[in-house]
Amino acid sequence: MPLDINVMPEFIPGEITFAPVIKFAYEGNLASELEAGLDRVLAIKLLEHMLHIRCFEEMIVRLRKGDFEPLKQYKFTGASHLSMGQEGVAVGCMSAIRPDDYITSTHRGHGHSIAKGAFWLDAASPEQLAEFISEAAEVDISDRPGLLDCAMQEHLNRTMAELFGKEEGYCRGRGGGMHIADFNMGHLGANAIVGGSYAIATGAAMGAQMLGTDRICVCLVGDGAANNGIAHEAMNFASMAQFERGCPVIYLIENNQYGMTGQQVGEVTGIDRLARRGAGYDHDSMHAEVVNGMDVLAVRDAVSGAAQRCRNGDGPVLLECLTYRYMGHSLSDNRETYRSKQEEAAWHAIDPITTYSQQLLETGLLSPDAIERHRKLAQERIERATLFAYNATDPNPATICEGLFADTTSDDIGDEWRTPESELLSKPEKVRRDNQGRILTRHAVAEALVEEMLRDRRVIVYGEDVADYGGAFAATKGVFEIFGRKRIFNTAISEAAIPGTGCGAAMVGMRPVVEIMYIDFILMAMDQVGNQVAKHRYMFGGKAKIPLVIRTTIGGGRGYAGQHSQSLEAVVTMIPGLKVIAPATPYDAKGLLKSAIRDDNPVVFIEHQHSYTQRGEVPEDEYTIPIGLATVAREGEDVTLVAYSYMYYRAMEAAELAAAQGLSVEVVDPRTLIPLDVDTIAASVKKTGRLVIVQQAPETGCFAEHIAFKLQECCFGDLKAPARIVAAFDVPPPMAPPLEQLNMPTPERILDGIKAVM
Ligand SMILES: Cc1ncc(C[n+]2csc(CCOP(=O)(O)OP(=O)(O)O)c2C)c(N)n1
C-alpha cells in the first residue's frame, strides 16, 4: 500500500517559488481592538501580567544585588536569565491561546510560565481556583475576585519557590527556574538545552491531535535555538506530507537579537529574518510571519491567527517575534562587549509595557493613577512571593530519589482504549508456530506490537522504514497491513526528532513506540533521550508520565564495522530516568516488550539483530514478563555466567563447552539492565562463589563493570575469585573478519574466562 505519490522522472525547466513570508502585517492598536470587541477586562489583564513578569524579574536583580531589604543577606543561587523587554511576547501569546493548550518554554521562560498560569487562572472556574489554592479552606467560593487574587498570589509563590529550590515550588525544587513546568496548566516544561523542546512540542501537538482534541502546542524558542539541528528535524517532522491534517504546532521564535552574545543578523546566520526558513518545510512556507514582538497586541493577533490555523488542521505555523532583552544573557554578563548603549536606548524607547500603558491612557481604559496601582499591586505580590519562597520548605535530603519513576502501568485499562474492529485494515493473525510452538524473535516483536496496538489505540509505532517496508530487520513486518499509516508510519531520517516527538506525545497521553534502527545512531539522539526523555519526570517534580518505548538494535559480526556494530547499552544505562531492557529469546522479547509498552516510564528496548533470527517457543496466549526480573537460563554449581542480549546464546554455548570439561556453569540472563535484578544474580553467586560477565561492548566503562561492582557489594565474602569480564576490546568494532571475530566474545573466549576464575 504505497502512498499515492508521483516520483516519475520529470525535468521541466522553471523556477521554484516560495509562498511569501509576511512581515509586520498587524495594523491595529488598542482602540481598534476595543472597537472590534476586545474585552476591557482582558485589555487590562495584558498590562497586569506584563507587570507581573517585569516585577518578578526586577526582584531577581534586587536579590542578586542584595537590594531587597528584608533579604539583604540572602544569597540567591539560581539561574538568572531574564526576559525584561520581552514581556509582550509572553503575554500576547498566552492571551491568544486557550487555557488547555500546551506550551514548551526556555531557560529564559519566567515570563512564559507566569503568563501561561495567569491566563489559565483568569479563565478558571471558582472550583478550579479553590482546588488550586492550598489554603482553600480559608477562602469563600462565592467570592471569585478574592479567589483569583489568592490564586494569582499562589501562582507567583510557587514560581518563585521553584527558583529558590523549595518543596512548594512547581517542580518541588527539582527543576529550578530553567526547568519549570505545570502540566495542569498545559505548561510542558522550560528547557535549558537550547532548542531542546522543538521535538517535544511537535510530539505534544501530534499527540493532542491523535487523541481527537483540538488542543495546540506553542513551542517558544530563542533565535539561537533556531540554528540547532533539532529545529530542522522537528519542523520537518511537523510538516510531513503523510499527515492528513497539519500538525497543530506553532514555532514561536522569540528573536531578542542575540543567542548568548552571538548576533542572529550579520553574524551567526546568513539571513535577515529567521521566518524565511518556513519556506524550506512546506508549500505554504509554514504560514511564516514576522511580528513586532514589542507590541503585545501584534503578538496576540499573530498567535490567534496561527492557533486558528492549527485547529483547522492547517498547521504547523512559524512566527518570528522581534524583541529585545534588556539585561545580559545572565546577570554575570554586562553586555558591554557586544552591543551599544544607543541600540539599547532605541529598544527601551519602544518598551512593551510603556507603549501599551500609553494606549490604555489614550483609550481612557486606565488613568495614570490606576496604572500606578497595577504596578504597585504586581510589585507587592512579587515581594510576598519572595518572602514566601524564602520561608518555604527545603526538600528533605531523604527524598532525593523520589519521583524518578512512575509506579503505574496501563495494565488495568480494560477495553477503554481497545482499537475498534472498524479501524483495522485486515484481520490480525497470530504468527504461525512450527510444530514445537516456536517462532523467531522478530516475529515475537511484531506480535507484541500488534497485540498492544489492538489493546490500546494510544499505542503508535514510528521510525525509519518501519511501515510498509516492515523495518530494516523485518521486526515490524505485517503491522502496517493491519493498522495502516495512522498507527504506524515512517519518519524522515531524524534520530533526534523520533524520540523527542515520542516524549511530547507521551506527555499528553499517547503511548508511542519509536524505533532507532541501530543503537549506534542513538548518539545522534542523545540530547532528546538523555536530557529530555529521561529527565522530564524527575526534573519537573515527579509529575510527568512518559510512557514511551524506544526500540533499537545492536548488530555486529557482519563486517559493518565501527558505526553499525556497537553495543552502546551503557550510554543509556548511565542516565537516571530510563529503564533499559535487552532480551535474548523470542519469549522474553515478546513478554518484555508488552510490559515496556504498558509501563508509564520511558524504556529503551534493545533488540539484537542476531537474536531476531533465533527461534524459540512463544505461547499464543496472553502473557507479560515483569520488568526487572532476571532469569536463570541454565543451572550450575561452579561458576555464575551473566550474559544478556545476543551474548546469552554465546554464554549458553560456552556453558556446554565447559560441561564437556567437567565444569558446571549457571547462566543468568538479567534481561532488564535498569532496574537490575541484583538479587537473582547474587543468589547464584552465593551458590557458585564465582562470577563471569559477558558482554559485546568494550570493557572500559561498560555495563558489566556495573554488574561486577554491584555483586562485589553484596557477595564479596562469597567470592572465591575476583569477578571477571569477557568483553570486546577497547577499540571501535573492526571490519576485517579475523579482527571482528576476535573482538566479539566467542564461546571459546568465554570458556577461557570461566577457567580463569576456577
Ligand atoms: C545546547 C545548548 N548549547 C548552549 C547552551 C548555553 N546557552 C544557554 S542560553 C544560550 C543562548 C540561547 O540563545 P537563544 O536561543 O536566542 O535564547 P535567548 O537566550 O536569547 O533567550 C546559550 C548559548 C545551552 N544551554 N544549550
Side-chain angles (χ1 to χ4, degrees), residues 180-193:
I180 203 162
D182 185 13
F183 304 115
N184 290 334
M185 294 176 169
H187 187 334
L188 299 179
N191 216 304
I193 301 295

Side-chain angles (χ1 to χ4, degrees), residues 91-114:
V91 170
C93 169
M94 304 312 159
S95 75
I97 60 175
R98 285 197 325 230
D100 65 342
D101 285 333
Y102 298 109
I103 66 158
T104 60
S105 165
T106 71
H107 59 285
R108 203 177 297 289
H110 304 144
H112 309 150
S113 161
I114 290 173

